[in-house]
Amino acid sequence: MPHDTLWLKDATTRVQSTALGPVAEHRGRVEDIADGVAMISGLPDVRLDELLRFDAGAFGFAQVLEPDRIGCVLLDAAHALQAGDAVHGTGDVVRVPVGAGLLGRIVDPLGRPLDGKGPITAEATLPIERDAPGIIERDLVVNPVQTGVLVVDTLFALGRGQRELIIGDPATGKTTLAADTIIAQRDTDMICIYVAVGQKTSAVRRAVDALQTHAAFGRCIVVVAGPATPPGLQWIAPFAGMTMAEHFRDKGGHTLIVIDDLSKHAATHREIALLTRQSPGREAYPGDVFYVHARLLERAAKLSQARGGGSLTALPIAQTEAGNLSAYIPTNLISITDGQIVLNARLFQEGQKPAVDVGVSVSRVGGKTQAPALRDAAKSLRLGVRARIAARHGHILAKRIGGHPRILACRDDPGQGRNQNDQREQNGEGGRESEPCFRLGFFDRWHEAASLG
Ligand SMILES: Nc1ncnc2c1ncn2[C@@H]1O[C@H](COP(=O)(O)OP(=O)(O)OP(=O)(O)O)[C@@H](O)[C@H]1O
């Protein structure tokens, strides 16, 4: 058959197989745009978290659905957008590339390279929001994660699949502790993901330099959402990092994710919530901030053998102000995680580095990964250190004396201790019992209180 006839046949087949009927398409309209958030009308079928495409080429995702409009969080800079621009729903959610092609790379939360080393070769693209493994799919945390930091590995051991919070005031060595942990994995089968949310570029550079200097970068992925990036990108960064980590975990591998830090992520969540006019709650955070972090960290897990036996260990970082662990976000994160390593600004200033506060740090599951002899030694060491701290700072300890539980307090100042040495008695069960059930005494020195037992 001559060439021109072949072409005609091919073209005819293509035209016949093309649907040329009318196509209905919803086009929304930007009503208002400011500070990385756009309010959009005219897209009634859009679903929560759906990826939206603007005619100018930018993307965002639906964060708030109201009857007549949508709060869309932008993933690109807003300067090319304005009120009146057309918007389309994509029917998809935000996805990130995953796979070994990301190792040794610095990317943004959408997996776009930031290191100038060319495009990423992805094995797949997966949604940033995925369900956490269910109870049947999980296994016990039994394998250790060595951090290379003696005080952590002995007193607050970590296990694969654990979630351990690193918390402390600004510049107390939180990032350094996390970076040391990543460096300690360089000769193991652990893949590490470092997610920097709203961190200064110089701090991220320092962490990356440390990883490169110690030859640990080849097994790492660094996800960076700097303070100058749109709030939407900062918001998705921990979720994107989790998806990248889960890919290796689901193939039976072992991964460690460091999220630096969730206090800044919570602040971004608050900023977006206020801009989309959601009701503020405690400290002006919206009511769902606990759920956001719980559903994120719940994705860290040790999987059962039936699911491949992989693990995802999470080291989220949080910042405190003046050592206040009872602020809203720190208490949320402490209750979500399996323990916390508290870095103390005073210890740091005294030159103790890492400035781990043994008195208030804890690892709730990692002890099971230690050899029994080491676990016992660590327990008595912890108690000894805490007793000394109590003696120095007047902490209160509970103790059973003569069959009755008593609360003992020690004071640094001998005079003050003596003055308050009146034993106050408190009847149990609302005063119905005649025998005193608790006694509160103040003692000058810890050994005085301890000797009562
Ligand atoms: N174990 C350590 N030994 C020596 N120097 C340390 C140690 N830990 C931290 N530092 C130093 O303390 C400074 C602050 O450390 P780092 O950036 O890790 O703190 P951070 O708590 O993460 O700070 P930020 O709150 O700004 O994120 C850095 O200059 C770092 O080099």
Side-chain angles (χ1 to χ4, degrees), residues 60-353:
F61 62 95
Q63 172 86 348
V64 178
L65 301 182
E66 290 175 6
D68 54 346
R69 59 184 197 160
I70 296 163
C72 169
V73 180
L74 301 178
L75 295 171
D76 293 291
H79 49 72
L81 304 174
Q82 56 186 358
D85 281 358
V87 194
H88 310 263
T90 62
D92 201 358
V93 291
V94 182
R95 291 170 177 270
V96 284
V98 295
L102 286 159
L103 294 177
R105 302 296 304 264
I106 306 175
V107 294
D108 80 354
L110 289 172
R112 298 177 294 205
L114 296 176
D115 51 9
K117 291 186 187 166
I120 304 281
T121 318
E123 286 172 26
T125 56
L126 295 178
I128 58 163
E129 292 260 17
R130 301 173 77 209
D131 285 343
I135 188 165
I136 300 298
E137 297 164 286
R138 292 177 185 247
D139 212 342
L140 293 178
V141 173
V142 287
N143 305 112
V145 176
Q146 300 292 344
T147 65
V149 179
L150 196 59
V151 63
V152 176
D153 288 342
T154 48
L155 300 186
F156 312 107
L158 307 182
R160 290 186 172 190
Q162 183 172 347
R163 300 156 302 168
E164 182 82 1
L165 181 67
I166 299 176
I167 186 165
D169 279 3
T172 47
K174 303 182 294 296
T175 306
T176 306
L177 180 58
D180 284 349
T181 308
I182 293 177
I183 290 167
Q185 311 310 314
R186 70 180 166 193
D187 298 321
T188 69
D189 58 351
M190 191 86 98
I191 285 171
C192 301
I193 288 133
Y194 175 70
V195 183
V197 186
Q199 295 295 314
K200 289 190 291 266
T201 313
S202 58
V204 179
R205 184 72 252 177
R206 223 177 25 243
V208 169
D209 282 348
L211 300 182
Q212 283 172 336
T213 309
H214 293 90
F217 195 61
R219 295 186 63 77
C220 279
I221 304 170
V222 177
V223 181
V224 183
T229 53
L233 271 189
Q234 294 184 49
W235 192 89
I236 67 166
F239 292 92
M242 246 336 155
T243 296
M244 291 173 190
E246 276 175 341
H247 175 73
F248 298 105
R249 180 201 69 188
D250 292 346
K251 291 202 305 185
H254 300 283
T255 46
L256 169 79
I257 183 167
V258 171
I259 305 171
D260 193 3
D261 66 60
L262 282 181
S263 305
K264 292 205 172 63
H265 184 258
T268 305
H269 185 65
R270 174 171 61 185
E271 180 185 337
I272 290 172
L274 293 175
L275 286 168
T276 50
R277 286 162 222 163
Q278 295 172 55
S279 313
R282 184 175 160 190
E283 293 180 24
Y285 290 100
D288 68 345
V289 68
F290 183 94
Y291 171 59
V292 167
H293 288 159
R295 79 170 188 255
L296 171 76
L297 294 172
E298 199 62 10
R299 290 163 69 177
K302 168 84 175 81
L303 293 185
S304 64
Q305 287 307 319
R307 279 283 316 268
S311 71
L312 202 174
T313 311
L315 292 183
I317 295 177
Q319 191 168 297
T320 51
E321 283 169 25
N324 181 12
L325 292 175
S326 54
Y328 186 32
I329 298 303
T331 42
N332 277 358
L333 293 171
I334 284 171
S335 64
I336 291 168
T337 48
D338 307 309
Q340 70 275 351
I341 295 170
V342 181
L343 300 176
N344 184 309
R346 188 180 50 78
L347 295 176
F348 191 85
Q349 282 149 16
E350 286 172 2
Q352 179 185 313
K353 292 174 188 170

Side-chain angles (χ1 to χ4, degrees), residues 359-426:
V360 282
S361 299
V362 67
S363 171
R364 294 196 192 95
V365 293
K368 309 223 171 41
T369 67
Q370 287 181 309
L374 179 58
R375 198 186 317 152
D376 289 347
K379 193 174 166 192
S380 55
L381 192 57
R382 256 194 321 265
L383 286 175
V385 174
R386 282 176 185 161
R388 277 208 302 282
I389 293 171
R392 275 176 58 199
H393 301 293
H395 286 182
I396 294 174
L397 292 189
K399 200 172 170 68
R400 284 188 83 82
I401 299 172
H404 294 296
R406 297 186 186 185
I407 299 170
L408 308 178
C410 309
R411 289 292 165 116
D412 272 346
D413 176 1
Q416 199 184 17
R418 283 266 175 258
N419 292 342
Q420 297 186 19
N421 201 10
D422 55 332
Q423 298 228 328
R424 282 180 243 157
E425 298 185 357
Q426 191 183 19

